[in-house]
Amino acid sequence: LLGLPLPALSRARDESDSEDEPPPLPEMLRFPEAEAIFQKLPLDKDGFVSAEAFAEELANQSQVLDFLQSQATKCSLPMKSREKLERLINWRIERDDALGTLFFTFVLLIIFYLVVQVNLEIQSNQQAETAVRSYISSFGAQLSGPFMDQHISDVTSFWSWAEQSALAAFFGVPALGADGITRFHIAGSNVLLGDVMVTHTDKDGDVFSEWLLHSTAAQNYLSTNSSDYLGAARAAMQSFWRSQADLNDPHSRAITLSCSIHNEPASKLLLVRVSSLFYNTGDMDLQFFSTACADTAEIAVQQAV
């Protein structure tokens, strides 16, 4: 409040104000002394003191400067009533509330941002999502690929990439745990939960979806090759092609691979979806979605196959 300017006292007096308190600014300028001083200044065509003349008086040691300094000294005296203090605060808020509280608002926003970051674990979720996305998109069955971003251009190339690289990324790194359960690791400590679903939307909008390892073809393959889950997934996909002629239709609308992933060290659950949309113009839109959330239940991961 020490830095509040003189116009803060421009409101009318309250009955509680004592006579020895300095009057508001309009009353000060009605003093005979003030009128005598300001009448000596040159006026413009409208009868007002020009800004140039007033600035010149303030720049020099003049009567105008001495008068304003003396009145400002009176106004800077301590407040003697609660009402005047309230008027002063209300005027300050009405004048520059947004600017005066900008610093505090900025600090509160920073604190709110940090609280949200910690509470929702935004950074760790983003790191988990980026790790899985980078792993699958850059994974190739061979050093030359095929890779998701470079190989897929139509329906046929999507199925080729899915069979050779995508299934190898999902089922190609099995690890037998101490409990005798085989788990598939994706991007380090991430583990595939259950199975991978294949979804196909044909040109008429009809949707076909099937879990790979739970299909009849995969189960038949596993009956003779009990530990070759990658081979079972590829056998299931080949069976789909033979039994569902629409899967190879170049006019298909969309193909999607989706699965769930668990990261026990980071206590994260991830939903992954790789989707390719095909348009009548021949263009396509390849999308990769990975959404992470905290594993608040602390589940025990078991491979559901």
Side-chain angles (χ1 to χ4, degrees), residues 77-106:
L77 296 176
M79 297 292 172
K80 294 185 179 181
S81 68
R82 180 182 181 85
E83 290 76 10
K84 178 172 289 188
L85 179 62
E86 291 178 354
R87 294 201 311 270
L88 199 60
I89 295 176
N90 291 334
W91 172 86
R92 176 63 181 270
I93 293 176
E94 294 175 358
R95 187 195 69 168
D96 56 359
D97 174 58
L99 183 61
T101 59
L102 178 62
F103 173 77
F104 302 100
T105 303
F106 181 75

PDB file of all heavy atoms in Angstrom, residues 77-106:
ATOM      1  N   LEU A  77       0.599  10.284   4.458  1.00  0.00           N
ATOM      2  CA  LEU A  77       0.536  10.025   5.890  1.00  0.00           C
ATOM      3  C   LEU A  77      -0.209   8.730   6.156  1.00  0.00           C
ATOM      4  O   LEU A  77      -1.024   8.295   5.340  1.00  0.00           O
ATOM      5  CB  LEU A  77      -0.161  11.197   6.591  1.00  0.00           C
ATOM      6  CG  LEU A  77       0.564  12.551   6.514  1.00  0.00           C
ATOM      7  CD1 LEU A  77      -0.297  13.636   7.168  1.00  0.00           C
ATOM      8  CD2 LEU A  77       1.935  12.476   7.165  1.00  0.00           C
ATOM      9  N   PRO A  78       0.036   8.063   7.275  1.00  0.00           N
ATOM     10  CA  PRO A  78      -0.631   6.779   7.556  1.00  0.00           C
ATOM     11  C   PRO A  78      -2.149   6.919   7.565  1.00  0.00           C
ATOM     12  O   PRO A  78      -2.701   7.971   7.888  1.00  0.00           O
ATOM     13  CB  PRO A  78      -0.084   6.407   8.937  1.00  0.00           C
ATOM     14  CG  PRO A  78       1.182   7.174   9.067  1.00  0.00           C
ATOM     15  CD  PRO A  78       0.996   8.457   8.308  1.00  0.00           C
ATOM     16  N   MET A  79      -2.813   5.821   7.192  1.00  0.00           N
ATOM     17  CA  MET A  79      -4.265   5.796   7.196  1.00  0.00           C
ATOM     18  C   MET A  79      -4.779   5.895   8.640  1.00  0.00           C
ATOM     19  O   MET A  79      -4.244   5.264   9.540  1.00  0.00           O
ATOM     20  CB  MET A  79      -4.770   4.504   6.557  1.00  0.00           C
ATOM     21  CG  MET A  79      -4.398   4.357   5.106  1.00  0.00           C
ATOM     22  SD  MET A  79      -5.250   5.569   4.108  1.00  0.00           S
ATOM     23  CE  MET A  79      -4.414   5.281   2.529  1.00  0.00           C
ATOM     24  N   LYS A  80      -5.862   6.656   8.787  1.00  0.00           N
ATOM     25  CA  LYS A  80      -6.417   6.828  10.122  1.00  0.00           C
ATOM     26  C   LYS A  80      -7.825   6.250  10.248  1.00  0.00           C
ATOM     27  O   LYS A  80      -8.459   6.397  11.285  1.00  0.00           O
ATOM     28  CB  LYS A  80      -6.443   8.311  10.480  1.00  0.00           C
ATOM     29  CG  LYS A  80      -5.054   8.909  10.614  1.00  0.00           C
ATOM     30  CD  LYS A  80      -5.118  10.341  11.097  1.00  0.00           C
ATOM     31  CE  LYS A  80      -3.724  10.934  11.253  1.00  0.00           C
ATOM     32  NZ  LYS A  80      -3.759  12.325  11.735  1.00  0.00           N
ATOM     33  N   SER A  81      -8.319   5.622   9.175  1.00  0.00           N
ATOM     34  CA  SER A  81      -9.645   5.029   9.261  1.00  0.00           C
ATOM     35  C   SER A  81      -9.703   3.781   8.392  1.00  0.00           C
ATOM     36  O   SER A  81      -9.030   3.699   7.360  1.00  0.00           O
ATOM     37  CB  SER A  81     -10.718   6.025   8.811  1.00  0.00           C
ATOM     38  OG  SER A  81     -10.610   6.268   7.426  1.00  0.00           O
ATOM     39  N   ARG A  82     -10.490   2.832   8.824  1.00  0.00           N
ATOM     40  CA  ARG A  82     -10.659   1.600   8.068  1.00  0.00           C
ATOM     41  C   ARG A  82     -11.378   1.867   6.758  1.00  0.00           C
ATOM     42  O   ARG A  82     -11.078   1.240   5.729  1.00  0.00           O
ATOM     43  CB  ARG A  82     -11.454   0.601   8.912  1.00  0.00           C
ATOM     44  CG  ARG A  82     -11.700  -0.734   8.215  1.00  0.00           C
ATOM     45  CD  ARG A  82     -12.537  -1.647   9.077  1.00  0.00           C
ATOM     46  NE  ARG A  82     -12.767  -2.924   8.435  1.00  0.00           N
ATOM     47  CZ  ARG A  82     -11.946  -3.949   8.484  1.00  0.00           C
ATOM     48  NH1 ARG A  82     -10.826  -3.858   9.180  1.00  0.00           N
ATOM     49  NH2 ARG A  82     -12.223  -5.070   7.858  1.00  0.00           N
ATOM     50  N   GLU A  83     -12.303   2.809   6.765  1.00  0.00           N
ATOM     51  CA  GLU A  83     -13.054   3.107   5.562  1.00  0.00           C
ATOM     52  C   GLU A  83     -12.156   3.637   4.464  1.00  0.00           C
ATOM     53  O   GLU A  83     -12.302   3.282   3.293  1.00  0.00           O
ATOM     54  CB  GLU A  83     -14.169   4.107   5.872  1.00  0.00           C
ATOM     55  CG  GLU A  83     -15.301   3.557   6.710  1.00  0.00           C
ATOM     56  CD  GLU A  83     -14.912   3.432   8.166  1.00  0.00           C
ATOM     57  OE1 GLU A  83     -13.840   3.949   8.545  1.00  0.00           O
ATOM     58  OE2 GLU A  83     -15.684   2.807   8.938  1.00  0.00           O
ATOM     59  N   LYS A  84     -11.226   4.494   4.820  1.00  0.00           N
ATOM     60  CA  LYS A  84     -10.331   5.043   3.805  1.00  0.00           C
ATOM     61  C   LYS A  84      -9.418   3.952   3.246  1.00  0.00           C
ATOM     62  O   LYS A  84      -9.134   3.908   2.035  1.00  0.00           O
ATOM     63  CB  LYS A  84      -9.489   6.169   4.388  1.00  0.00           C
ATOM     64  CG  LYS A  84      -8.500   6.747   3.385  1.00  0.00           C
ATOM     65  CD  LYS A  84      -7.802   7.972   3.908  1.00  0.00           C
ATOM     66  CE  LYS A  84      -8.776   9.140   3.968  1.00  0.00           C
ATOM     67  NZ  LYS A  84      -8.084  10.401   4.306  1.00  0.00           N
ATOM     68  N   LEU A  85      -8.968   3.055   4.096  1.00  0.00           N
ATOM     69  CA  LEU A  85      -8.150   1.947   3.629  1.00  0.00           C
ATOM     70  C   LEU A  85      -8.944   1.057   2.667  1.00  0.00           C
ATOM     71  O   LEU A  85      -8.421   0.610   1.639  1.00  0.00           O
ATOM     72  CB  LEU A  85      -7.653   1.128   4.823  1.00  0.00           C
ATOM     73  CG  LEU A  85      -6.795  -0.105   4.479  1.00  0.00           C
ATOM     74  CD1 LEU A  85      -5.521   0.332   3.761  1.00  0.00           C
ATOM     75  CD2 LEU A  85      -6.452  -0.882   5.751  1.00  0.00           C
ATOM     76  N   GLU A  86     -10.227   0.804   2.976  1.00  0.00           N
ATOM     77  CA  GLU A  86     -11.051   0.011   2.074  1.00  0.00           C
ATOM     78  C   GLU A  86     -11.237   0.711   0.737  1.00  0.00           C
ATOM     79  O   GLU A  86     -11.215   0.070  -0.317  1.00  0.00           O
ATOM     80  CB  GLU A  86     -12.404  -0.253   2.729  1.00  0.00           C
ATOM     81  CG  GLU A  86     -12.329  -1.198   3.924  1.00  0.00           C
ATOM     82  CD  GLU A  86     -13.680  -1.401   4.569  1.00  0.00           C
ATOM     83  OE1 GLU A  86     -14.641  -0.707   4.138  1.00  0.00           O
ATOM     84  OE2 GLU A  86     -13.783  -2.231   5.485  1.00  0.00           O
ATOM     85  N   ARG A  87     -11.452   2.041   0.773  1.00  0.00           N
ATOM     86  CA  ARG A  87     -11.582   2.774  -0.481  1.00  0.00           C
ATOM     87  C   ARG A  87     -10.307   2.676  -1.310  1.00  0.00           C
ATOM     88  O   ARG A  87     -10.338   2.516  -2.532  1.00  0.00           O
ATOM     89  CB  ARG A  87     -11.895   4.246  -0.201  1.00  0.00           C
ATOM     90  CG  ARG A  87     -13.236   4.497   0.428  1.00  0.00           C
ATOM     91  CD  ARG A  87     -13.678   5.926   0.207  1.00  0.00           C
ATOM     92  NE  ARG A  87     -12.649   6.896   0.551  1.00  0.00           N
ATOM     93  CZ  ARG A  87     -12.500   7.428   1.750  1.00  0.00           C
ATOM     94  NH1 ARG A  87     -13.320   7.089   2.738  1.00  0.00           N
ATOM     95  NH2 ARG A  87     -11.542   8.306   1.985  1.00  0.00           N
ATOM     96  N   LEU A  88      -9.179   2.747  -0.626  1.00  0.00           N
ATOM     97  CA  LEU A  88      -7.899   2.683  -1.316  1.00  0.00           C
ATOM     98  C   LEU A  88      -7.692   1.324  -1.979  1.00  0.00           C
ATOM     99  O   LEU A  88      -7.273   1.233  -3.135  1.00  0.00           O
ATOM    100  CB  LEU A  88      -6.775   2.956  -0.305  1.00  0.00           C
ATOM    101  CG  LEU A  88      -5.413   3.375  -0.862  1.00  0.00           C
ATOM    102  CD1 LEU A  88      -5.552   4.654  -1.652  1.00  0.00           C
ATOM    103  CD2 LEU A  88      -4.429   3.559   0.271  1.00  0.00           C
ATOM    104  N   ILE A  89      -8.029   0.254  -1.251  1.00  0.00           N
ATOM    105  CA  ILE A  89      -7.867  -1.096  -1.798  1.00  0.00           C
ATOM    106  C   ILE A  89      -8.836  -1.334  -2.949  1.00  0.00           C
ATOM    107  O   ILE A  89      -8.475  -1.898  -3.992  1.00  0.00           O
ATOM    108  CB  ILE A  89      -8.057  -2.139  -0.683  1.00  0.00           C
ATOM    109  CG1 ILE A  89      -6.949  -2.004   0.366  1.00  0.00           C
ATOM    110  CG2 ILE A  89      -8.078  -3.549  -1.262  1.00  0.00           C
ATOM    111  CD1 ILE A  89      -7.115  -2.918   1.550  1.00  0.00           C
ATOM    112  N   ASN A  90     -10.092  -0.898  -2.778  1.00  0.00           N
ATOM    113  CA  ASN A  90     -11.074  -1.076  -3.854  1.00  0.00           C
ATOM    114  C   ASN A  90     -10.666  -0.336  -5.113  1.00  0.00           C
ATOM    115  O   ASN A  90     -10.835  -0.848  -6.225  1.00  0.00           O
ATOM    116  CB  ASN A  90     -12.448  -0.602  -3.381  1.00  0.00           C
ATOM    117  CG  ASN A  90     -13.032  -1.500  -2.318  1.00  0.00           C
ATOM    118  OD1 ASN A  90     -12.698  -2.690  -2.248  1.00  0.00           O
ATOM    119  ND2 ASN A  90     -13.892  -0.946  -1.472  1.00  0.00           N
ATOM    120  N   TRP A  91     -10.141   0.870  -4.951  1.00  0.00           N
ATOM    121  CA  TRP A  91      -9.696   1.617  -6.126  1.00  0.00           C
ATOM    122  C   TRP A  91      -8.548   0.904  -6.826  1.00  0.00           C
ATOM    123  O   TRP A  91      -8.516   0.823  -8.060  1.00  0.00           O
ATOM    124  CB  TRP A  91      -9.252   3.025  -5.705  1.00  0.00           C
ATOM    125  CG  TRP A  91      -8.605   3.763  -6.825  1.00  0.00           C
ATOM    126  CD1 TRP A  91      -9.216   4.494  -7.784  1.00  0.00           C
ATOM    127  CD2 TRP A  91      -7.209   3.803  -7.121  1.00  0.00           C
ATOM    128  NE1 TRP A  91      -8.306   4.998  -8.658  1.00  0.00           N
ATOM    129  CE2 TRP A  91      -7.052   4.585  -8.284  1.00  0.00           C
ATOM    130  CE3 TRP A  91      -6.076   3.253  -6.513  1.00  0.00           C
ATOM    131  CZ2 TRP A  91      -5.811   4.834  -8.848  1.00  0.00           C
ATOM    132  CZ3 TRP A  91      -4.851   3.501  -7.066  1.00  0.00           C
ATOM    133  CH2 TRP A  91      -4.722   4.280  -8.222  1.00  0.00           C
ATOM    134  N   ARG A  92      -7.618   0.371  -6.034  1.00  0.00           N
ATOM    135  CA  ARG A  92      -6.476  -0.318  -6.632  1.00  0.00           C
ATOM    136  C   ARG A  92      -6.933  -1.554  -7.403  1.00  0.00           C
ATOM    137  O   ARG A  92      -6.448  -1.840  -8.511  1.00  0.00           O
ATOM    138  CB  ARG A  92      -5.482  -0.722  -5.544  1.00  0.00           C
ATOM    139  CG  ARG A  92      -4.287  -1.542  -6.044  1.00  0.00           C
ATOM    140  CD  ARG A  92      -3.444  -0.730  -7.008  1.00  0.00           C
ATOM    141  NE  ARG A  92      -2.324  -1.510  -7.494  1.00  0.00           N
ATOM    142  CZ  ARG A  92      -1.123  -1.556  -6.913  1.00  0.00           C
ATOM    143  NH1 ARG A  92      -0.895  -0.842  -5.830  1.00  0.00           N
ATOM    144  NH2 ARG A  92      -0.152  -2.268  -7.432  1.00  0.00           N
ATOM    145  N   ILE A  93      -7.891  -2.300  -6.850  1.00  0.00           N
ATOM    146  CA  ILE A  93      -8.377  -3.497  -7.522  1.00  0.00           C
ATOM    147  C   ILE A  93      -9.106  -3.136  -8.803  1.00  0.00           C
ATOM    148  O   ILE A  93      -8.933  -3.780  -9.840  1.00  0.00           O
ATOM    149  CB  ILE A  93      -9.284  -4.296  -6.573  1.00  0.00           C
ATOM    150  CG1 ILE A  93      -8.467  -4.856  -5.409  1.00  0.00           C
ATOM    151  CG2 ILE A  93      -9.995  -5.426  -7.313  1.00  0.00           C
ATOM    152  CD1 ILE A  93      -9.289  -5.577  -4.371  1.00  0.00           C
ATOM    153  N   GLU A  94      -9.943  -2.084  -8.760  1.00  0.00           N
ATOM    154  CA  GLU A  94     -10.680  -1.685  -9.948  1.00  0.00           C
ATOM    155  C   GLU A  94      -9.757  -1.133 -11.037  1.00  0.00           C
ATOM    156  O   GLU A  94     -10.051  -1.248 -12.222  1.00  0.00           O
ATOM    157  CB  GLU A  94     -11.724  -0.630  -9.583  1.00  0.00           C
ATOM    158  CG  GLU A  94     -12.830  -1.179  -8.681  1.00  0.00           C
ATOM    159  CD  GLU A  94     -13.777  -0.090  -8.237  1.00  0.00           C
ATOM    160  OE1 GLU A  94     -13.536   1.082  -8.617  1.00  0.00           O
ATOM    161  OE2 GLU A  94     -14.734  -0.393  -7.512  1.00  0.00           O
ATOM    162  N   ARG A  95      -8.642  -0.522 -10.627  1.00  0.00           N
ATOM    163  CA  ARG A  95      -7.763   0.104 -11.608  1.00  0.00           C
ATOM    164  C   ARG A  95      -6.917  -0.906 -12.373  1.00  0.00           C
ATOM    165  O   ARG A  95      -6.919  -0.934 -13.596  1.00  0.00           O
ATOM    166  CB  ARG A  95      -6.834   1.112 -10.911  1.00  0.00           C
ATOM    167  CG  ARG A  95      -6.018   1.928 -11.895  1.00  0.00           C
ATOM    168  CD  ARG A  95      -4.873   2.635 -11.213  1.00  0.00           C
ATOM    169  NE  ARG A  95      -3.866   1.688 -10.753  1.00  0.00           N
ATOM    170  CZ  ARG A  95      -2.658   2.046 -10.332  1.00  0.00           C
ATOM    171  NH1 ARG A  95      -2.318   3.318 -10.271  1.00  0.00           N
ATOM    172  NH2 ARG A  95      -1.809   1.126  -9.921  1.00  0.00           N
ATOM    173  N   ASP A  96      -6.195  -1.748 -11.684  1.00  0.00           N
ATOM    174  CA  ASP A  96      -5.271  -2.672 -12.371  1.00  0.00           C
ATOM    175  C   ASP A  96      -5.234  -4.020 -11.648  1.00  0.00           C
ATOM    176  O   ASP A  96      -4.169  -4.498 -11.280  1.00  0.00           O
ATOM    177  CB  ASP A  96      -3.874  -2.061 -12.457  1.00  0.00           C
ATOM    178  CG  ASP A  96      -3.313  -1.666 -11.095  1.00  0.00           C
ATOM    179  OD1 ASP A  96      -4.017  -1.850 -10.091  1.00  0.00           O
ATOM    180  OD2 ASP A  96      -2.192  -1.192 -11.037  1.00  0.00           O
ATOM    181  N   ASP A  97      -6.406  -4.596 -11.473  1.00  0.00           N
ATOM    182  CA  ASP A  97      -6.457  -5.896 -10.791  1.00  0.00           C
ATOM    183  C   ASP A  97      -5.701  -6.959 -11.582  1.00  0.00           C
ATOM    184  O   ASP A  97      -4.939  -7.744 -11.031  1.00  0.00           O
ATOM    185  CB  ASP A  97      -7.914  -6.318 -10.610  1.00  0.00           C
ATOM    186  CG  ASP A  97      -8.023  -7.727 -10.029  1.00  0.00           C
ATOM    187  OD1 ASP A  97      -7.489  -7.944  -8.944  1.00  0.00           O
ATOM    188  OD2 ASP A  97      -8.621  -8.582 -10.689  1.00  0.00           O
ATOM    189  N   ALA A  98      -5.917  -6.993 -12.920  1.00  0.00           N
ATOM    190  CA  ALA A  98      -5.273  -8.025 -13.738  1.00  0.00           C
ATOM    191  C   ALA A  98      -3.756  -7.889 -13.704  1.00  0.00           C
ATOM    192  O   ALA A  98      -3.031  -8.875 -13.593  1.00  0.00           O
ATOM    193  CB  ALA A  98      -5.787  -7.942 -15.167  1.00  0.00           C
ATOM    194  N   LEU A  99      -3.266  -6.656 -13.814  1.00  0.00           N
ATOM    195  CA  LEU A  99      -1.819  -6.451 -13.831  1.00  0.00           C
ATOM    196  C   LEU A  99      -1.214  -6.628 -12.444  1.00  0.00           C
ATOM    197  O   LEU A  99      -0.138  -7.203 -12.287  1.00  0.00           O
ATOM    198  CB  LEU A  99      -1.499  -5.058 -14.375  1.00  0.00           C
ATOM    199  CG  LEU A  99      -0.016  -4.717 -14.517  1.00  0.00           C
ATOM    200  CD1 LEU A  99       0.660  -5.682 -15.487  1.00  0.00           C
ATOM    201  CD2 LEU A  99       0.166  -3.288 -14.984  1.00  0.00           C
ATOM    202  N   GLY A 100      -1.918  -6.153 -11.436  1.00  0.00           N
ATOM    203  CA  GLY A 100      -1.371  -6.233 -10.085  1.00  0.00           C
ATOM    204  C   GLY A 100      -1.259  -7.647  -9.565  1.00  0.00           C
ATOM    205  O   GLY A 100      -0.385  -7.957  -8.759  1.00  0.00           O
ATOM    206  N   THR A 101      -2.158  -8.518 -10.005  1.00  0.00           N
ATOM    207  CA  THR A 101      -2.142  -9.905  -9.540  1.00  0.00           C
ATOM    208  C   THR A 101      -1.533 -10.863 -10.560  1.00  0.00           C
ATOM    209  O   THR A 101      -1.635 -12.077 -10.389  1.00  0.00           O
ATOM    210  CB  THR A 101      -3.579 -10.362  -9.225  1.00  0.00           C
ATOM    211  OG1 THR A 101      -4.378 -10.249 -10.419  1.00  0.00           O
ATOM    212  CG2 THR A 101      -4.185  -9.518  -8.126  1.00  0.00           C
ATOM    213  N   LEU A 102      -0.926 -10.324 -11.630  1.00  0.00           N
ATOM    214  CA  LEU A 102      -0.366 -11.184 -12.670  1.00  0.00           C
ATOM    215  C   LEU A 102       0.723 -12.101 -12.118  1.00  0.00           C
ATOM    216  O   LEU A 102       0.754 -13.295 -12.435  1.00  0.00           O
ATOM    217  CB  LEU A 102       0.187 -10.325 -13.805  1.00  0.00           C
ATOM    218  CG  LEU A 102       0.857 -11.086 -14.963  1.00  0.00           C
ATOM    219  CD1 LEU A 102      -0.161 -12.003 -15.634  1.00  0.00           C
ATOM    220  CD2 LEU A 102       1.445 -10.114 -15.975  1.00  0.00           C
ATOM    221  N   PHE A 103       1.599 -11.561 -11.313  1.00  0.00           N
ATOM    222  CA  PHE A 103       2.698 -12.368 -10.774  1.00  0.00           C
ATOM    223  C   PHE A 103       2.168 -13.512  -9.915  1.00  0.00           C
ATOM    224  O   PHE A 103       2.600 -14.655 -10.059  1.00  0.00           O
ATOM    225  CB  PHE A 103       3.642 -11.492  -9.958  1.00  0.00           C
ATOM    226  CG  PHE A 103       4.700 -12.267  -9.221  1.00  0.00           C
ATOM    227  CD1 PHE A 103       5.803 -12.773  -9.897  1.00  0.00           C
ATOM    228  CD2 PHE A 103       4.584 -12.499  -7.864  1.00  0.00           C
ATOM    229  CE1 PHE A 103       6.772 -13.507  -9.223  1.00  0.00           C
ATOM    230  CE2 PHE A 103       5.551 -13.225  -7.181  1.00  0.00           C
ATOM    231  CZ  PHE A 103       6.645 -13.724  -7.872  1.00  0.00           C
ATOM    232  N   PHE A 104       1.204 -13.206  -9.041  1.00  0.00           N
ATOM    233  CA  PHE A 104       0.656 -14.248  -8.163  1.00  0.00           C
ATOM    234  C   PHE A 104      -0.112 -15.287  -8.976  1.00  0.00           C
ATOM    235  O   PHE A 104      -0.061 -16.483  -8.681  1.00  0.00           O
ATOM    236  CB  PHE A 104      -0.248 -13.611  -7.115  1.00  0.00           C
ATOM    237  CG  PHE A 104       0.449 -12.581  -6.270  1.00  0.00           C
ATOM    238  CD1 PHE A 104       0.306 -11.231  -6.526  1.00  0.00           C
ATOM    239  CD2 PHE A 104       1.276 -12.977  -5.232  1.00  0.00           C
ATOM    240  CE1 PHE A 104       0.959 -10.284  -5.758  1.00  0.00           C
ATOM    241  CE2 PHE A 104       1.937 -12.039  -4.453  1.00  0.00           C
ATOM    242  CZ  PHE A 104       1.783 -10.689  -4.716  1.00  0.00           C
ATOM    243  N   THR A 105      -0.829 -14.843 -10.011  1.00  0.00           N
ATOM    244  CA  THR A 105      -1.543 -15.788 -10.871  1.00  0.00           C
ATOM    245  C   THR A 105      -0.557 -16.710 -11.582  1.00  0.00           C
ATOM    246  O   THR A 105      -0.791 -17.921 -11.700  1.00  0.00           O
ATOM    247  CB  THR A 105      -2.379 -15.028 -11.906  1.00  0.00           C
ATOM    248  OG1 THR A 105      -3.281 -14.148 -11.228  1.00  0.00           O
ATOM    249  CG2 THR A 105      -3.168 -15.992 -12.779  1.00  0.00           C
ATOM    250  N   PHE A 106       0.552 -16.139 -12.050  1.00  0.00           N
ATOM    251  CA  PHE A 106       1.565 -16.939 -12.734  1.00  0.00           C
ATOM    252  C   PHE A 106       2.167 -17.967 -11.790  1.00  0.00           C
ATOM    253  O   PHE A 106       2.358 -19.132 -12.162  1.00  0.00           O
ATOM    254  CB  PHE A 106       2.659 -16.018 -13.281  1.00  0.00           C
ATOM    255  CG  PHE A 106       3.746 -16.734 -14.017  1.00  0.00           C
ATOM    256  CD1 PHE A 106       3.538 -17.230 -15.292  1.00  0.00           C
ATOM    257  CD2 PHE A 106       4.993 -16.917 -13.428  1.00  0.00           C
ATOM    258  CE1 PHE A 106       4.534 -17.895 -15.973  1.00  0.00           C
ATOM    259  CE2 PHE A 106       5.999 -17.585 -14.100  1.00  0.00           C
ATOM    260  CZ  PHE A 106       5.770 -18.064 -15.378  1.00  0.00           C
TER     261      PHE A 106
END
